Amino acid sequence: MKQFWFAIALFVCGISLVGFFAYWNSTGITSGATEIVFIDDPKADYQSAQDFLREGKPKEAIKVIKKYRTNIENNSEWGPKWLDLFVQASVQIPDVQQLLILYQYSPEAFEENEEASVLVAEDLLLKGQNEDFKAIREEWRGKETKLNRWLNIDADYFILEGKRDQAVALLKSQSFEGEKDVDRLLRLALLHVNDNSNEAWKYLSEGLKKDPDNAKVFSYRAKILETSGKDALALSEYIAASAADPKNPQIRDQLAEFFLRHKRYLQALQVYEESIENLKVTDSMLLKVVFWSKIVKPIDVDWQSVEISNGDLKPLIQYIINLKPWQYWDEKLFDKIPNNQQFLNTSQVLWWLRLISVLKNENDEVAKDLLAHNPFMDESWNPDLELALMRIINYRENKKLSLDVNDFEFSSLEESITEKSKTPIEFFQQLNEIAKKQEDDPNFVLPRDIEAILMDTNAFSVAFLAAGWSEVALELQKVKVIPKDAPQWVSYAYTQAVRENRGGSAALEYANLQHQTPVLDLLTAEIMLTQNNRDAAMLQLKKLQSDDDEVGLRASWLLGLAYLKEKKLEQARATIQENKLLMDNMLGVEALARIAMAEGDMSRADELYSSIEDSSAEAKSFLARKAYSDQDWERAKGLTIELLKEYPNSKVLRSNLIKIIDSQKKARME
């Protein structure tokens, strides 16, 4: 049966370099070798392999099975039995590529194994091997027991053939009990999502009733909701999907992508960082982590120890990892990348890194050219930032924020870009409004604070700061002292960025260099509290608490919490109640609830937290614990999902959600 091994080799080379040899060659045996294996007790080994399969240990079973390779080769008395075990083990892993190889060698080995046949049929169909697919499908027609699986495969065949109506008719022709019906309903939803989202939603809702914890259903519901502009509800579904299948990196990637689309970069990075630590992430995910951690905030990962598969993206990922922390482009390093021009044409990551590098090197002309001829303009990750950078360059050249089509060759200009942003940053919006006023009145004089920023050496850095790309903003900052007449938010935002990326002590040093304002004094007091410098912080807060504005409100709140931590409950309550603005604010209610809890008055705490449930994460946390204690699983689950929207990487919250889901499942079964 040497031709068997030759056939296997041909098949592997034609399809993939994984599969059969991965198992045999791990012991050093090559496909052309002849080896005599002395067996003491084949019956005992056969029983041992069967036991491993019953225990769900297919890889252990294969270690035993591959000792009997010659039996399979020679089609000896035991050969079919070992081959059957090999098929069973490949199903359990599951290793579809291996099953395809085995099917090519011995189709008869699949005659009694429906699950193996289903897996092979699905893969043949996806690979476009229709004749082979039809052969295995006909083999099982009329004797199927996995009716739902074959129905879905048949529908997929119609879909791939462009016969949508036939696929819909087939999928509607039968239904199944419980979770077996979910994949059918998912297909119906996908077939209707473009022309009838309500119908698609109906199918997904039905699927969720049949399998309340199906990650795919949550994921598709999330996409429909997000497309409809219902972002808060969409986030709930993305989080539910992640909780339902916590080990699925693609599901986690969908959650992180949602945060990226909505410019919640730190939360996206938290999701990605946790995924790298606990899951085998794809290279496309790894590229995003490497890029955004360089752009927004460095994460604590030893990049040199991270496993990168030998895929197309490996050179690009390694290139970015090998850049210095302050470096965004290295021409010599880039020249060493194989097919680097292809990456330039297809990777928006590289476009942004080049742009940031030339801005850092003060090469405005090259930056202008990159912005004007951006090949990724229609799919830009931050069109508002691009437009702001173009306006800044134009203002520094021509004293105009409005753009000239001839200068920038920019299709539809402002309209085409700003329409893509659901929540334009106030700074960017200001620039857009001023540009419009300049078009209407060439003599329009810019506000003094905006003029100060545009002509400052930190102008580009401020644009990245406004966009939330904090690490870039810090690296592009030329002068650490912000002009006195610049908008107050600038020094505040820089201090926050330093705090987030460099730590509290560095943030205090930075803040001390700036022109002092009440809002910056408030921030430094808050940082001092976290640095355990309570006396200095409280002294500063007492000076600010009398301000009849947002600063006074927050100063009173922080001061009240400081008293609470010192267990001075009466002083804490008085501080909160003396500020009228705070008493009408969620923060004031939260503080009073904390004081009630410290006094042991849980009924009062419950009353206070219930009054702000919709707006307060702290209230949701308290009420979720209470609901769990009361075995109100649905309420506990809903509140925990709401909390995960704000803290998606909280291991405690995700663990709580899994516990709640498990408790809910047990309750259903009782």
Side-chain angles (χ1 to χ4, degrees):
M1 292 295 292
K2 287 184 179 178
Q3 59 266 40
F4 163 61
W5 295 105
F6 182 69
I8 292 296
L10 287 178
F11 185 80
V12 170
C13 291
I15 302 297
S16 170
L17 292 177
V18 298
F20 206 93
F21 296 129
Y23 300 114
W24 298 144
N25 291 348
S26 62
T27 58
I29 302 172
T30 61
S31 60
T34 301
E35 179 171 303
I36 299 174
V37 180
F38 294 95
I39 305 299
D40 293 328
D41 194 345
K43 289 185 179 180
D45 279 344
Y46 187 80
Q47 183 62 51
S48 176
Q50 285 184 314
D51 290 341
F52 279 132
L53 290 176
R54 275 193 291 269
E55 295 166 7
K57 300 176 179 178
K59 293 182 179 179
E60 296 300 318
I62 284 176
K63 290 179 182 178
V64 179
I65 294 167
K66 68 182 181 180
K67 290 167 59 179
Y68 296 89
R69 141 186 172 171
T70 53
N71 293 77
I72 299 174
E73 274 187 329
N74 300 327
N75 198 22
S76 66
E77 180 184 354
W78 280 76
K81 293 182 179 181
W82 286 113
L83 182 57
D84 180 62
L85 287 186
F86 198 5
V87 172
Q88 291 181 46
S90 299
V91 167
Q92 276 196 24
I93 289 177
D95 188 339
V96 179
Q97 184 63 45
Q98 182 62 65
L99 287 169
L100 280 169
I101 294 171
L102 294 174
Y103 180 74
Q104 293 284 331
Y105 165 61
S106 179
E108 59 270 17
F110 289 68
E111 289 177 357
E112 303 299 325
N113 194 321
E114 188 174 9
E115 179 62 26
S117 298
V118 165
L119 291 171
V120 168
E122 288 174 335
D123 206 60
L124 287 171
L125 185 59
L126 289 174
K127 285 184 166 71
Q129 296 174 238
N130 286 4
E131 294 306 313
D132 291 334
F133 161 73
K134 290 176 183 177
I136 195 170
R137 180 66 187 99
E138 289 307 314
E139 177 66 31
W140 282 92
R141 197 173 298 282
K143 63 176 185 179
E144 308 97 326
T145 61
K146 300 179 182 295
L147 297 175
N148 61 313
R149 301 279 295 282
W150 288 112
L151 178 78
N152 292 328
I153 291 173
D154 290 339
D156 289 343
Y157 174 74
F158 284 134
I159 293 169
L160 292 170
E161 290 287 299
K163 300 175 181 178
R164 177 187 181 278
D165 292 343
Q166 287 174 263
V168 171
L170 178 62
L171 290 167
K172 286 184 176 181
S173 67
Q174 296 184 61
S175 63
F176 305 94
E177 292 298 319
E179 62 185 39
K180 290 183 178 180
D181 205 30
V182 172
D183 283 340
R184 179 187 72 88
L185 293 166
L186 281 173
R187 283 167 170 78
L188 282 169
L190 291 173
L191 288 167
H192 287 85
V193 71
N194 289 329
D195 59 358
N196 192 338
S197 59
N198 289 333
E199 186 77 359
W201 184 263
K202 183 188 77 172
Y203 289 122
L204 292 174
S205 297
E206 187 179 346
L208 205 55
K209 288 178 183 177
K210 293 196 170 187
D211 186 3
D213 301 304
N214 189 292
K216 287 182 182 178
V217 177
F218 285 124
S219 177
Y220 286 123
R221 280 163 56 104
K223 290 169 185 173
I224 290 176
L225 287 166
E226 189 178 2
T227 302
S228 303
K230 299 174 182 177
D231 295 334
L233 292 174
L235 180 53
S236 296
E237 300 291 320
Y238 282 122
I239 289 171
S242 182
D245 193 359
K247 295 183 179 180
N248 188 325
Q250 284 75 27
I251 295 291
R252 296 287 289 167
D253 191 26
Q254 289 177 8
L255 175 60
E257 282 282 1
F258 174 88
F259 287 128
L260 288 176
R261 285 192 294 274
H262 295 272
K263 300 179 175 59
R264 295 170 64 174
Y265 301 113
L266 289 176
Q267 288 161 307
L269 274 174
Q270 287 171 359
V271 174
Y272 281 137
E273 183 175 8
E274 194 272 340
S275 298
I276 286 181
E277 291 174 356
N278 299 295
L279 304 174
K280 185 173 178 60
V281 301
T282 63
D283 282 356
S284 61
M285 285 179 67
L286 190 55
L287 178 60
K288 295 171 197 172
V289 186
V290 170
F291 174 75
W292 289 108
S293 65
K294 193 167 185 65
I295 296 300
V296 176
K297 179 186 177 182
I299 59 175
D300 188 18
V301 171
D302 180 8
W303 294 114
Q304 301 304 324
S305 66
V306 173
E307 182 181 352
I308 310 172
S309 67
N310 288 317
D312 294 340
L313 293 176
K314 184 175 183 177
L316 181 54
I317 295 169
Q318 290 180 323
Y319 167 73
I320 301 173
I321 288 175
N322 290 328
L323 291 172
K324 300 293 189 295
W326 61 88
Q327 191 179 31
Y328 293 92
W329 193 260
D330 185 322
E331 197 68 36
K332 292 182 180 179
L333 201 60
F334 183 72
D335 286 341
K336 296 178 182 179
I337 298 178
N339 301 317
N340 54 20
Q341 290 305 309
Q342 181 180 350
F343 283 125
L344 278 180
N345 297 329
T346 59
S347 175
Q348 188 170 171
V349 163
L350 290 180
W351 183 86
W352 279 107
L353 291 176
R354 291 174 71 202
L355 176 65
I356 294 166
S357 180
V358 297
L359 288 172
K360 185 174 184 179
N361 293 327
E362 301 182 12
N363 196 334
D364 289 12
E365 280 303 312
V366 176
K368 179 179 176 180
D369 186 65
L370 283 170
L371 286 161
H373 304 99
N374 177 9
F376 309 102
M377 190 182 301
D378 292 336
E379 53 193 30
S380 173
W381 292 333
N382 202 317
D384 290 298
L385 173 58
E386 283 188 56
L387 183 56
L389 293 171
M390 293 174 71
R391 292 199 191 285
I392 293 170
I393 291 174
N394 199 41
Y395 188 81
R396 291 155 80 94
E397 285 185 358
N398 307 312
K399 290 294 182 179
K400 291 196 310 181
L401 285 175
S402 56
L403 301 172
D404 189 324
V405 177
N406 294 323
D407 286 340
F408 286 94
E409 300 175 17
F410 212 46
S411 61
S412 303
L413 290 177
E414 295 90 339
E415 293 81 2
S416 68
I417 292 188
T418 54
E419 284 177 4
K420 297 178 186 176
S421 176
K422 295 180 181 179
T423 54
I425 305 299
E426 184 177 349
F427 175 62
F428 298 156
Q429 193 64 40
Q430 278 184 295
L431 297 185
N432 294 341
E433 291 171 357
I434 293 170
K436 179 63 176 167
K437 290 177 181 177
Q438 280 190 325
E439 288 179 359
D440 297 336
D441 180 8
N443 297 318
F444 177 80
V445 178
L446 267 66
R448 185 177 177 184
D449 58 348
I450 297 297
E451 168 80 14
I453 284 297
L454 294 176
M455 298 309 297
D456 189 62
T457 55
N458 291 331
F460 297 121
S461 172
V462 170
F464 283 100
L465 183 69
W469 296 23
S470 302
E471 187 63 19
V472 175
L474 295 178
E475 288 296 338
L476 263 60
Q477 194 177 20
K478 303 293 183 181
V479 180
K480 290 190 175 182
V481 180
I482 306 303
K484 184 177 180 180
D485 51 357
Q488 288 190 20
W489 70 265
V490 176
S491 58
Y492 181 92
Y494 269 124
T495 303
Q496 279 284 37
V498 174
R499 179 188 186 184
E500 188 67 48
N501 291 19
R502 307 287 188 267
S505 297
L508 288 175
E509 290 179 14
Y510 182 88
N512 288 333
L513 298 174
Q514 312 308 319
H515 170 67
Q516 299 304 300
T517 63
V519 70
L520 190 58
D521 289 342
L522 178 66
L523 178 58
T524 56
E526 185 177 335
I527 296 172
M528 284 190 285
L529 284 175
T530 64
Q531 298 286 102
N532 292 320
N533 191 356
R534 186 168 298 147
D535 291 341
M538 292 179 73
L539 184 63
Q540 192 149 304
L541 290 171
K542 287 175 183 177
K543 296 176 182 178
L544 297 169
Q545 72 175 131
S546 59
D547 292 356
D548 189 20
D549 56 14
E550 185 71 23
V551 171
L553 179 155
R554 192 168 179 85
S556 296
W557 175 69
L558 289 170
L559 191 58
L561 294 184
Y563 283 130
L564 176 60
K565 192 164 186 176
E566 293 178 346
K567 298 183 179 179
K568 298 177 180 178
L569 303 186
E570 287 305 320
Q571 281 181 274
R573 181 182 287 104
T575 301
I576 301 299
Q577 292 177 337
E578 284 171 5
N579 190 300
K580 294 181 180 179
L581 290 176
L582 183 56
M583 284 297 293
D584 294 331
N585 188 278
M586 177 193 74
L587 293 176
V589 179
E590 286 179 344
L592 292 176
R594 289 194 202 182
I595 294 169
M597 289 176 65
E599 293 173 333
D601 190 348
M602 302 307 291
S603 176
R604 177 59 176 159
D606 190 352
E607 178 187 348
L608 288 165
Y609 279 131
S610 296
S611 70
I612 55 172
E613 174 185 339
D614 292 341
S615 56
S616 166
E618 186 175 312
K620 289 183 179 73
S621 180
F622 174 89
L623 296 169
R625 287 197 302 271
K626 184 175 184 298
Y628 185 83
S629 178
D630 295 341
Q631 297 186 15
D632 187 348
W633 311 124
E634 197 59 35
R635 177 163 168 74
K637 178 180 176 181
L639 288 166
T640 305
I641 287 175
E642 288 298 307
L643 285 166
L644 278 164
K645 291 180 183 179
E646 298 185 51
Y647 310 103
N649 210 42
S650 168
K651 294 180 180 179
V652 172
L653 287 174
R654 284 192 287 112
S655 175
N656 288 349
L657 185 56
I658 291 170
K659 288 178 184 176
I660 293 166
I661 290 171
D662 289 342
S663 299
Q664 195 173 33
K665 286 179 180 177
K666 290 177 183 177
R668 291 194 198 105
M669 296 171 63
E670 292 175 355

